[in-house]
Amino acid sequence: WGVIICRRIAAAASAAASAAPSLEHRTAQLRKLEASRPRLVFAYRASCFAYSATGAVYAACLPRLPTAFRSTVLCGGGWFAAALLLQGGLSFMNDAVATLGRPVPFSRRLWQTLDRLLACTLTANAAATARVWAASAESTAHPALAPAMVLSFLTFIPSRLCEVWGRMVPFLAWHSAWHYVPNAIALAWILQTAAGGPGAGGAEAE
């Protein structure tokens, strides 16, 4: 699912690229919004660390999670948590610093590439892992969380299209949703499962 979504996003972006406003024009709009819509810009910048919050909570909950939830399709749970923590920093450097036209070490293209490469990998892994976790007999979370999380990844499509078309206010809103919504669902899933996991049961028995 994650790979399919990324490919469709890239195709849609390429189709609209010929009529897109320039990067300089979009950046200038964002700089103006920092003054005219400071709360929206703040929410957008803060949203980058939703990944780090999910990674930190997942790492903390790992000992209390059932066995099936201690790993993902691509890697172990500890590595996935570390990648989420790293993604928060990469997202901030690309989205909250470089995209807003502020100077960054090395080049804007480098941070954009690192951010998107890891984000696409994490999205693909999360979508595949959601199916595995949802099918597990050890899952104690609400069954609607798995499809809800996968569907929430679609928020990136309007985010990307608004960015390409130069509609920067809806871009900020949609891109914030792309950060907040999947991570909020993942947090709910992790916390619900940890509350009903073997560690929790053992604590209650004691």
Side-chain angles (χ1 to χ4, degrees):
W1 276 94
V3 174
I4 293 173
I5 290 171
C6 288
R7 286 178 178 175
R8 290 185 177 178
I9 292 167
S14 297
S18 58
S22 67
L23 174 62
E24 292 74 17
H25 177 75
R26 299 197 303 268
T27 302
Q29 283 187 283
L30 288 172
R31 296 301 295 270
K32 290 178 181 178
L33 288 172
E34 286 190 274
S36 63
R37 303 289 293 271
R39 292 182 180 178
L40 177 60
V41 174
F42 176 81
Y44 163 77
R45 299 184 74 178
S47 73
C48 299
F49 293 106
Y51 296 104
S52 297
T54 301
V57 170
Y58 183 46
C61 290
L62 273 174
R64 300 170 62 86
L65 290 171
T67 303
F69 287 77
R70 296 177 190 173
S71 63
T72 70
V73 170
L74 293 181
C75 61
W79 286 106
F80 188 54
L84 286 166
L85 287 166
L86 176 61
Q87 179 59 32
L90 293 179
S91 176
F92 185 82
M93 289 301 297
N94 178 39
D95 294 332
V97 181
T99 299
L100 293 179
R102 303 197 179 280
V104 292
F106 306 107
S107 68
R108 174 174 181 162
R109 176 64 67 181
L110 173 65
W111 293 108
Q112 183 184 75
T113 301
L114 292 174
D115 175 30
R116 292 181 177 177
L117 179 61
L118 185 55
C120 282
T121 303
L122 290 175
T123 299
N125 187 39
T129 301
R131 298 182 64 183
V132 175
W133 285 4
S136 171
E138 297 177 302
S139 178
T140 58
H142 195 286
L145 288 174
M149 188 171 73
V150 173
L151 288 173
S152 71
F153 295 142
L154 297 176
T155 54
F156 188 74
I157 295 177
S159 163
R160 181 58 178 156
L161 292 177
C162 287
E163 181 182 19
V164 170
W165 293 335
R167 300 175 59 192
M168 304 319 289
V169 170
F171 159 71
L172 291 175
W174 278 111
H175 205 77
S176 297
W178 155 248
H179 289 164
Y180 284 127
V181 177
N183 282 288
I185 296 171
L187 283 170
W189 196 351
I190 292 166
L191 291 171
Q192 283 188 30
T193 304
E204 290 173 3
E206 292 174 2

